[in-house]
Amino acid sequence: MSSPERADVIVIGSGFGGAIAAYHLAAGGAKVVVLERGPWVKTDEFEHDFLLGSSYTRVFDFVVGDGMSLLGGNCVGGGSVVYFATMPRAPRFVFERKGSIGRRMWPAAIDRDSLEPWYDRVAEALPVRRQGWDVVTYSGGVFAAACDHAGRTANPAPTAIDNDLCTNCNWMMSGCRFDAKRSLLLNYLPAAVAHGAQIRPLHEVQYLSRTDDGGYQVHYNVIDEEDYRVTAGSGTLEAKIVVMAAGAGATPVILQRSEPHLGEMPHAVGRYFSGNGERLNTAVLNEDKVAEVLGLSRPDGPAYGASQIGKGPCVASWDNLDGSLPEYDRFSLEQLYFPPGLGTILAQTPTADGRTWFGPEKKEMLRRWQSWLTIFTMSEDDNEGVFGPPPATGNSVRISQQMLGRGNLGYVPTANTLHGWEISDAEAKRVMEKDGLATVLPWTNDLVGAYTVHPLASCRIGDDPGTSALDDRHELRGHPGVFVTDGSAVPGALTVNPALTIAALAERSIPGIVRALRDRGVDVGYGAPAPDGDTAARDAVLPLVRDLVRE
């Protein structure tokens, strides 16, 4: 009988949490294997179409739950391949939130000040830059003008975009074929590979079990590259440490399925899920009013009608991110653009008979798709999502050969969450409908329930074992050597795009993982520079490392 394949560390998932762990641990000398359930799509393979089997359907994972649907990445690079690269830092008040438990959710060791140097590490590595108005897209400018007209401020958002390479094609949601979007395919992941890490795409982890020497065995299926419902093989790997980074919609499912093999999971595994309080409002602009009310004009066409050109979200309004406001009254508004295929699905139009997704009104709305401007809101919710019993394999029961699945997440919004949605919807409507500028059609939960593109908190960090699955160093309670570094570790809604915070927390978790490896006899170091060799942010965090390792 052959011996099982062994590594020092197995990283499950290759998004921000997985890629950052893979780079630092491989650079420190550990043998690292990354298992990614999705395909490895290279730059020149990102396609500008919606055909089944194109990169668009291959790299997404859309899971419909009971009351909540999740849209995320399913590829090497994870969410960084399909995100819009908007990278703000979380407001200071977020770290003091109490939420549904009535006391501070975040660990005492983490606040905005303590996380700042870890934010800096990520900003240096990608890099993240604040955009100027000279590179803001036309649709972003229209939103900013509407905010100004309604008495709000608006700002270009910080992004991980190289504007010298960006062509404003507006296909960045399905990958970037110009390498303008600074996904993990361009920094942490190639740097990890350069240090010896192995990345294995189309490997879907099913569960963990223990080895006789106190390590872990990871059980996986190999997925067919065209039909994700088909298993092309299976296998196991052994390691001393496992880093879970499969995303907030998959990490808790894997851990749930592991319970018969590992023993009881912390109560918070698969509970306290947050959809980041997200809402979509579709504004159908009146082109004549854009000219009349906002004073905008274009020589080659209507004053608007151009939202199909641009980067996606690049302008945000943060007036309601005021720490003096009551909890659940704080939210951000962000200009967004969904391409016609996905936008058609998301757009709703109210009718007299209550049909929001079909009928002549919807047809007329679709005819005017170039006049749409989507307002994306992120508010505070109550962490009310709960994952039920896991499916037999994967994180969902796959409905189609790619992209679509039925998941085990249940979500019933509380009065607090509904309040946050209501006031943010009302403000989006006020801004965009002032003086007849547009007609705003808010999202309803009638057909598929709520949604999120930023799932969080399903295995969150915290100080209270009763309400957090992880300690403040991201180690799974009761299961030493298992760490969680993806969005599921974030305690609750952030009111802004969460990618930078997820990445900063992952950076902060690495010293503790290094110490755990050393305790298990692995000769591994810590202190690698940014993937491109910069050292300023690294040097700034080195004094903090002692506090993050177990003595």
XYZ file of all heavy atoms in Angstrom, residues 79-151:
577
model
N -12.668 35.071 -5.384
C -13.426 36.306 -5.547
C -12.638 37.428 -6.185
O -13.222 38.357 -6.759
N -11.312 37.388 -6.117
C -10.524 38.476 -6.704
C -10.610 38.495 -8.226
O -10.326 39.516 -8.848
C -9.058 38.359 -6.277
O -8.370 37.366 -7.021
N -10.974 37.378 -8.828
C -11.102 37.318 -10.282
C -12.413 37.947 -10.729
O -12.498 38.554 -11.801
C -11.001 35.858 -10.767
C -11.294 35.737 -12.262
C -9.615 35.305 -10.461
N -13.465 37.827 -9.914
C -14.781 38.304 -10.321
C -15.217 39.549 -9.557
O -16.340 40.015 -9.731
C -15.839 37.189 -10.151
C -15.483 35.992 -11.006
C -15.988 36.760 -8.698
N -14.359 40.104 -8.707
C -14.764 41.306 -7.990
C -14.521 42.539 -8.843
O -13.917 42.491 -9.906
C -14.063 41.410 -6.639
C -12.624 41.893 -6.579
C -12.159 42.571 -5.444
C -11.701 41.658 -7.588
C -10.853 43.004 -5.334
C -10.391 42.088 -7.485
C -9.973 42.767 -6.357
O -8.673 43.199 -6.255
N -15.059 43.683 -8.366
C -14.895 44.943 -9.081
C -13.694 45.735 -8.566
O -13.519 46.893 -8.927
C -16.154 45.797 -8.957
C -17.245 45.405 -9.918
C -18.499 45.071 -9.456
C -17.024 45.391 -11.278
C -19.516 44.730 -10.335
C -18.025 45.045 -12.168
C -19.287 44.714 -11.700
N -12.890 45.132 -7.696
C -11.631 45.712 -7.226
C -11.817 47.001 -6.439
O -10.916 47.828 -6.372
C -10.669 45.940 -8.399
N -12.984 47.172 -5.825
C -13.223 48.329 -4.956
C -12.759 47.962 -3.555
O -13.233 46.992 -2.972
C -14.713 48.702 -4.956
O -15.145 48.854 -6.309
C -14.954 49.985 -4.196
N -11.822 48.747 -2.993
C -11.084 48.297 -1.803
C -11.038 49.348 -0.697
O -9.964 49.798 -0.284
C -9.663 47.917 -2.221
C -9.576 46.817 -3.260
S -10.007 45.199 -2.617
C -8.427 44.664 -1.962
N -12.180 49.763 -0.154
C -12.146 50.672 0.997
C -11.807 49.931 2.289
O -11.965 48.707 2.378
C -13.580 51.217 1.047
C -14.405 50.102 0.492
C -13.551 49.447 -0.572
N -11.367 50.677 3.265
C -11.159 50.130 4.603
C -12.452 50.275 5.400
O -13.214 51.211 5.188
C -9.993 50.842 5.298
C -8.726 50.777 4.467
C -7.507 51.362 5.148
N -6.373 51.320 4.218
C -5.085 51.314 4.566
N -4.765 51.351 5.854
N -4.124 51.258 3.663
N -12.705 49.353 6.296
C -13.940 49.385 7.071
C -13.964 50.599 7.988
O -12.933 50.973 8.565
C -14.075 48.106 7.891
N -15.125 51.235 8.148
C -15.222 52.379 9.070
C -14.881 51.978 10.496
O -15.064 50.824 10.906
C -16.701 52.787 8.954
C -17.187 52.202 7.670
C -16.395 50.944 7.469
N -14.433 52.938 11.255
C -14.001 52.674 12.631
C -15.124 52.082 13.482
O -14.894 51.192 14.312
C -13.494 53.990 13.242
C -12.878 53.860 14.621
C -12.235 55.186 15.035
N -11.154 55.532 14.125
C -9.902 55.093 14.249
N -9.583 54.305 15.261
N -8.979 55.464 13.385
N -16.378 52.546 13.273
C -17.469 52.087 14.130
C -17.778 50.605 13.938
O -18.354 49.966 14.832
C -18.746 52.912 13.890
C -19.352 52.743 12.513
C -20.102 51.618 12.192
C -19.190 53.725 11.556
C -20.666 51.477 10.933
C -19.745 53.586 10.289
C -20.485 52.458 9.980
N -17.414 50.051 12.782
C -17.716 48.651 12.493
C -17.160 47.731 13.579
O -17.806 46.755 13.992
C -17.160 48.267 11.107
C -16.991 46.764 10.976
C -18.066 48.791 10.006
N -15.962 48.036 14.051
C -15.288 47.155 15.003
C -15.903 47.218 16.397
O -15.579 46.387 17.250
C -13.800 47.497 15.054
C -13.133 47.365 13.711
C -12.997 48.467 12.867
C -12.678 46.141 13.269
C -12.404 48.342 11.625
C -12.089 46.011 12.023
C -11.948 47.114 11.195
N -16.783 48.190 16.625
C -17.461 48.315 17.916
C -18.897 47.809 17.850
O -19.633 47.904 18.839
C -17.458 49.787 18.366
C -16.087 50.429 18.403
C -15.107 49.672 19.287
O -15.533 49.155 20.347
O -13.912 49.589 18.915
N -19.317 47.272 16.709
C -20.696 46.821 16.552
C -21.049 45.707 17.549
O -20.228 44.858 17.875
C -20.943 46.300 15.137
C -21.034 47.368 14.066
C -21.688 46.792 12.815
N -23.037 46.340 13.105
C -23.617 45.300 12.508
N -22.945 44.601 11.600
N -24.852 44.965 12.814
N -22.313 45.733 17.981
C -22.810 44.702 18.894
C -23.694 43.694 18.171
O -23.713 42.521 18.535
C -23.579 45.355 20.042
C -22.713 46.231 20.926
C -23.509 46.816 22.086
C -22.616 47.644 22.995
N -23.370 48.223 24.139
N -24.449 44.148 17.202
C -25.263 43.234 16.424
C -26.276 42.479 17.261
O -26.726 42.939 18.322
N -26.608 41.260 16.818
C -27.681 40.501 17.444
C -27.326 39.964 18.823
O -28.216 39.610 19.593
C -28.079 39.327 16.538
O -26.964 38.465 16.319
N -26.029 39.899 19.176
C -25.655 39.315 20.473
C -25.647 40.357 21.597
O -25.482 40.008 22.762
C -24.294 38.599 20.408
C -23.166 39.580 20.044
C -24.346 37.456 19.418
C -21.786 38.940 20.097
N -25.793 41.643 21.234
C -25.912 42.678 22.252
C -24.626 43.079 22.920
O -24.639 43.803 23.914
N -23.496 42.632 22.414
C -22.194 43.029 22.942
C -21.196 43.004 21.785
O -21.480 42.461 20.724
C -21.747 42.097 24.059
C -21.692 40.627 23.683
C -21.422 39.753 24.905
N -21.371 38.342 24.573
C -22.438 37.568 24.438
N -23.659 38.085 24.593
N -22.314 36.286 24.142
N -20.046 43.566 21.988
C -19.084 43.724 20.907
C -18.794 42.386 20.229
O -18.406 41.411 20.881
C -17.787 44.321 21.461
C -16.813 44.839 20.408
C -15.608 45.452 21.112
N -14.747 46.193 20.189
C -13.726 45.664 19.531
N -13.449 44.373 19.669
N -12.987 46.405 18.739
N -18.999 42.348 18.910
C -18.793 41.108 18.163
C -17.317 40.816 17.936
O -16.891 39.666 17.964
C -19.482 41.202 16.794
C -20.986 41.219 16.836
S -21.676 41.092 15.159
C -21.241 42.687 14.481
N -16.544 41.846 17.645
C -15.143 41.656 17.289
C -14.306 41.302 18.508
O -14.619 41.722 19.627
C -14.593 42.932 16.645
C -15.054 43.144 15.242
C -16.279 43.579 14.832
C -14.297 42.925 14.052
N -16.333 43.637 13.461
C -15.134 43.252 12.952
C -12.991 42.488 13.804
C -14.698 43.146 11.630
C -12.561 42.391 12.485
C -13.403 42.723 11.414
N -13.223 40.558 18.329
C -12.316 40.300 19.461
C -11.738 41.602 20.005
O -11.540 42.573 19.259
C -11.207 39.442 18.829
C -11.777 38.908 17.565
C -12.759 39.923 17.078
N -11.471 41.621 21.284
C -10.917 42.825 21.905
C -9.588 43.225 21.286
O -9.216 44.401 21.293
C -10.749 42.597 23.405
N -8.868 42.248 20.731
C -7.538 42.526 20.179
C -7.583 43.255 18.838
O -6.538 43.688 18.341
C -6.766 41.212 20.007
N -8.771 43.390 18.232
C -8.854 43.966 16.887
C -9.768 45.178 16.879
O -10.931 45.107 17.292
C -9.377 42.925 15.872
C -8.484 41.692 15.848
C -9.443 43.544 14.477
C -8.971 40.592 14.933
N -9.219 46.292 16.424
C -10.017 47.466 16.084
C -9.398 48.094 14.844
O -8.464 47.533 14.255
C -10.101 48.456 17.253
C -8.730 48.949 17.726
O -7.727 48.806 16.986
O -8.647 49.482 18.847
N -9.907 49.229 14.437
C -9.412 49.836 13.201
C -7.932 50.197 13.314
O -7.151 49.985 12.373
C -10.249 51.070 12.857
C -9.744 51.914 11.696
C -9.667 51.174 10.362
N -9.028 52.013 9.379
C -9.688 52.827 8.554
N -11.007 52.903 8.606
N -9.032 53.569 7.697
N -7.513 50.698 14.465
C -6.110 51.086 14.615
C -5.189 49.873 14.540
O -4.139 49.909 13.872
C -5.895 51.815 15.951
C -6.528 53.202 15.959
O -6.709 53.773 14.874
O -6.851 53.690 17.055
N -5.554 48.786 15.201
C -4.677 47.612 15.204
C -4.652 46.928 13.843
O -3.677 46.248 13.504
C -5.122 46.622 16.283
O -6.387 46.055 15.975
N -5.705 47.099 13.045
C -5.744 46.467 11.727
C -5.069 47.315 10.651
O -4.764 46.823 9.567
C -7.197 46.184 11.336
C -7.429 45.107 10.274
C -6.832 43.769 10.689
C -8.922 44.959 9.985
N -4.826 48.580 10.977
C -4.303 49.511 9.968
C -3.003 49.025 9.307
O -2.886 49.069 8.074
C -4.091 50.884 10.610
C -4.026 52.021 9.614
C -5.376 52.371 9.005
O -6.409 51.937 9.527
O -5.385 53.071 7.977
N -2.003 48.567 10.051
C -0.778 48.127 9.373
C -0.988 46.898 8.492
O -0.258 46.703 7.511
C 0.185 47.824 10.526
C -0.662 47.684 11.737
C -1.853 48.554 11.521
N -1.981 46.094 8.797
C -2.267 44.926 7.953
C -3.002 45.347 6.685
O -2.775 44.770 5.615
C -3.056 43.893 8.754
C -2.336 43.517 10.021
C -2.594 43.964 11.279
C -1.190 42.662 10.131
N -1.705 43.434 12.179
C -0.831 42.623 11.509
C -0.447 41.912 9.221
C 0.241 41.870 11.979
C 0.620 41.152 9.691
C 0.954 41.137 11.048
N -3.854 46.355 6.804
C -4.407 46.966 5.595
C -3.272 47.461 4.695
O -3.298 47.290 3.469
C -5.286 48.160 5.965
C -6.713 47.867 6.361
C -7.262 48.442 7.518
C -7.547 47.084 5.573
C -8.576 48.214 7.884
C -8.866 46.863 5.925
C -9.380 47.429 7.081
O -10.695 47.216 7.436
N -2.290 48.099 5.310
C -1.172 48.643 4.536
C -0.420 47.544 3.787
O 0.035 47.755 2.654
C -0.201 49.395 5.452
C -0.784 50.696 6.001
O -1.778 51.189 5.443
O -0.248 51.200 7.008
N -0.280 46.383 4.409
C 0.420 45.272 3.752
C -0.273 44.894 2.453
O 0.365 44.688 1.422
C 0.475 44.050 4.662
C 1.436 44.145 5.815
C 2.204 42.836 6.007
N 3.168 42.617 4.943
C 4.035 41.608 4.909
N 4.040 40.714 5.858
N 4.886 41.473 3.920
N -1.588 44.774 2.506
C -2.334 44.380 1.314
C -2.303 45.484 0.272
O -2.130 45.223 -0.930
C -3.785 44.020 1.676
C -4.541 43.543 0.443
C -3.830 42.965 2.767
N -2.474 46.723 0.728
C -2.471 47.849 -0.206
C -1.143 47.938 -0.949
O -1.108 48.309 -2.129
C -2.748 49.150 0.547
N -0.069 47.593 -0.297
C 1.242 47.592 -0.940
C 1.368 46.442 -1.927
O 1.942 46.581 -3.008
C 2.324 47.482 0.128
C 3.745 47.458 -0.409
C 4.765 47.299 0.720
O 4.875 46.193 1.290
O 5.441 48.296 1.034
N 0.790 45.299 -1.589
C 0.986 44.097 -2.392
C 0.202 44.116 -3.698
O 0.669 43.608 -4.721
C 0.597 42.865 -1.577
N -1.021 44.660 -3.696
C -1.857 44.519 -4.894
C -1.419 45.396 -6.083
O -1.341 44.847 -7.202
C -3.321 44.758 -4.528
C -3.931 43.703 -3.583
C -5.398 43.988 -3.364
C -3.747 42.274 -4.111
N -1.243 46.670 -6.019
C -1.485 47.631 -4.946
C -2.894 48.217 -5.030
O -3.601 48.037 -6.010
C -0.445 48.713 -5.222
C -0.343 48.719 -6.724
C -0.544 47.290 -7.164
N -3.269 48.948 -3.947
C -4.547 49.659 -3.883
C -4.258 51.153 -3.937
O -3.383 51.644 -3.226
C -5.297 49.321 -2.583
C -6.579 50.136 -2.475
C -5.603 47.826 -2.530
N -4.992 51.853 -4.790
C -4.809 53.296 -4.948
C -6.167 53.986 -4.963
O -7.146 53.439 -5.472
C -4.085 53.618 -6.250
C -2.687 53.014 -6.362
C -1.680 53.770 -5.522
N -0.323 53.277 -5.738
C 0.262 52.321 -5.022
N -0.415 51.746 -4.045
N 1.490 51.931 -5.275
N -6.224 55.215 -4.459
C -7.433 56.015 -4.599
C -7.455 56.618 -5.996
O -6.470 57.198 -6.454
C -7.487 57.134 -3.554
C -8.790 57.932 -3.610
C -8.871 58.932 -2.469
N -8.895 58.268 -1.179
C -9.995 57.755 -0.625
N -11.145 57.809 -1.267
N -9.940 57.177 0.554
N -8.575 56.479 -6.678
C -8.691 57.006 -8.033
C -8.904 58.518 -8.015
O -9.454 59.064 -7.063
C -9.878 56.360 -8.755
C -9.747 54.862 -8.927
C -10.890 54.307 -9.737
O -10.740 53.992 -10.905
N -12.050 54.193 -9.110
N -8.503 59.161 -9.081
C -8.821 60.568 -9.280
C -10.062 60.700 -10.150
O -10.475 59.763 -10.838
N -10.641 61.883 -10.140
C -11.831 62.106 -10.953
C -11.538 61.973 -12.442
O -12.440 61.699 -13.243
C -12.420 63.481 -10.660
C -13.120 63.569 -9.336
C -12.690 64.231 -8.226
C -14.364 62.953 -8.970
N -13.581 64.076 -7.192
C -14.624 63.302 -7.624
C -15.273 62.150 -9.649
C -15.773 62.863 -6.951
C -16.419 61.720 -8.977
C -16.659 62.072 -7.651
N -10.274 62.111 -12.823
C -9.948 62.028 -14.248
C -10.068 60.613 -14.802
O -10.126 60.440 -16.024
C -8.524 62.552 -14.498
C -7.467 61.793 -13.700
O -7.772 61.357 -12.570
O -6.346 61.645 -14.196
N -10.128 59.598 -13.936
C -10.280 58.230 -14.427
C -11.627 57.621 -14.034
O -11.878 56.447 -14.293
C -9.135 57.322 -13.922
C -7.806 57.786 -14.485
C -9.099 57.261 -12.390
N -12.486 58.410 -13.418
C -13.824 57.933 -13.076
C -14.637 57.764 -14.352
O -14.573 58.586 -15.264
C -14.518 58.911 -12.107
C -16.011 58.675 -12.039
C -13.894 58.791 -10.723
N -15.395 56.677 -14.419
C -16.200 56.409 -15.608
C -17.354 57.402 -15.719
O -17.733 58.068 -14.753
C -16.775 54.991 -15.544
O -17.554 54.863 -14.360
C -15.662 53.961 -15.524
N -17.935 57.451 -16.891
C -19.038 58.384 -17.121
C -20.215 58.078 -16.196
O -20.816 58.984 -15.616
C -19.487 58.319 -18.584
C -20.498 59.387 -18.946
C -20.106 60.721 -19.109
C -21.837 59.073 -19.076
C -21.031 61.692 -19.414
C -22.778 60.040 -19.384
C -22.370 61.353 -19.549
O -23.286 62.321 -19.859
N -20.551 56.804 -16.058
C -21.663 56.452 -15.172
C -21.353 56.832 -13.729
O -22.239 57.262 -12.989
C -21.985 54.961 -15.288
O -20.830 54.180 -15.082
N -20.085 56.684 -13.312
C -19.701 57.129 -11.982
C -19.846 58.628 -11.822
O -20.280 59.119 -10.781
N -19.495 59.368 -12.872
C -19.664 60.814 -12.836
C -21.115 61.230 -12.757
O -21.466 62.195 -12.058
N -21.986 60.512 -13.465
C -23.419 60.806 -13.398
C -23.943 60.568 -11.981
O -24.713 61.370 -11.442
C -24.195 59.956 -14.419
C -25.698 60.073 -14.195
C -23.854 60.380 -15.839
N -23.520 59.466 -11.363
C -23.945 59.211 -9.988
C -23.432 60.294 -9.050
O -24.163 60.772 -8.169
C -23.448 57.837 -9.532
C -23.742 57.526 -8.094
C -25.039 57.417 -7.643
C -22.702 57.339 -7.177
C -25.320 57.127 -6.303
C -22.977 57.049 -5.850
C -24.285 56.945 -5.416
N -22.181 60.691 -9.210
C -21.634 61.753 -8.364
C -22.405 63.052 -8.540
O -22.692 63.762 -7.566
C -20.154 61.957 -8.687
N -22.762 63.382 -9.787
C -23.541 64.595 -10.048
C -24.927 64.503 -9.414
O -25.445 65.488 -8.873
C -23.650 64.830 -11.547
N -25.536 63.306 -9.455
C -26.846 63.116 -8.828
C -26.747 63.292 -7.318
O -27.631 63.881 -6.684
C -27.399 61.743 -9.183
N -25.685 62.756 -6.715
C -25.480 62.935 -5.274
C -25.334 64.405 -4.928
O -25.951 64.901 -3.960
C -24.253 62.158 -4.818
S -24.456 60.370 -4.758
N -24.551 65.106 -5.685
C -24.349 66.534 -5.438
C -25.667 67.294 -5.561
O -25.976 68.165 -4.729
C -23.314 67.080 -6.418
C -23.033 68.553 -6.193
O -22.466 68.899 -5.133
O -23.387 69.367 -7.074
N -26.446 66.954 -6.573
C -27.734 67.612 -6.784
C -28.679 67.350 -5.616
O -29.506 68.205 -5.267
C -28.358 67.108 -8.093
C -29.690 67.692 -8.392
N -29.862 69.017 -8.733
C -30.942 67.129 -8.395
C -31.148 69.262 -8.942
N -31.832 68.131 -8.744
N -28.552 66.170 -4.976
C -29.426 65.813 -3.857
C -28.844 66.207 -2.503
O -29.404 65.863 -1.461
C -29.704 64.315 -3.884
N -27.703 66.884 -2.491
C -27.116 67.341 -1.239
C -26.231 66.335 -0.543
O -25.959 66.460 0.656
